[in-house]
Amino acid sequence: MMQVQLAVHKRKRNLVLATSVILMAIGAFVSNLWVFLAGFILVNGYAIGVMAWDKSKAKKGGFRIPEQSLLLLAALGGGIGVLIAMLAYRHK
């Protein structure tokens, strides 16, 4: 069961990261601020959601998001979302 949850999480994570990085790259190369912001908001919103979900699962003793995924989200543009979630949800 845990392997299935991990595989589903990785697919969703990779899809969101790929989409947001592509949007941010297109926005940067075409000098379109709105496209860049769309990718930036997407990755940061996803980072906040994942951190909140991980914290709720930690309290219940359920499946946890691997730390590697959280660090990858922060490194690929979701650093602000991760920081907000750390402060809001007291996530380590």
Side-chain angles (χ1 to χ4, degrees):
M1 182 70 177
M2 186 172 161
Q3 293 297 334
V4 173
Q5 289 176 326
L6 184 59
V8 169
H9 160 69
K10 284 184 178 181
R11 272 192 305 249
K12 288 179 185 178
R13 179 200 66 198
N14 292 342
L15 178 65
V16 169
L17 284 176
T19 304
S20 62
V21 168
I22 288 170
L23 283 173
M24 287 190 290
I26 290 172
F29 287 125
V30 182
S31 297
N32 190 340
L33 181 63
W34 295 109
V35 176
F36 180 82
L37 284 176
F40 186 76
I41 290 169
L42 177 68
V43 72
N44 281 290
Y46 183 71
I48 291 170
V50 166
M51 297 269 296
W53 185 73
D54 184 52
K55 184 66 175 187
S56 72
K57 290 295 181 178
K59 290 179 180 178
K60 297 176 185 175
F63 171 73
R64 299 289 307 271
I65 301 295
E67 189 172 349
Q68 177 185 3
S69 291
L70 301 175
L71 293 173
L72 185 63
L73 280 171
L76 293 179
I80 293 174
V82 168
L83 181 63
I84 290 170
M86 284 174 57
L87 296 173
Y89 301 112
R90 302 184 73 173
H91 200 291
K92 60 178 183 170

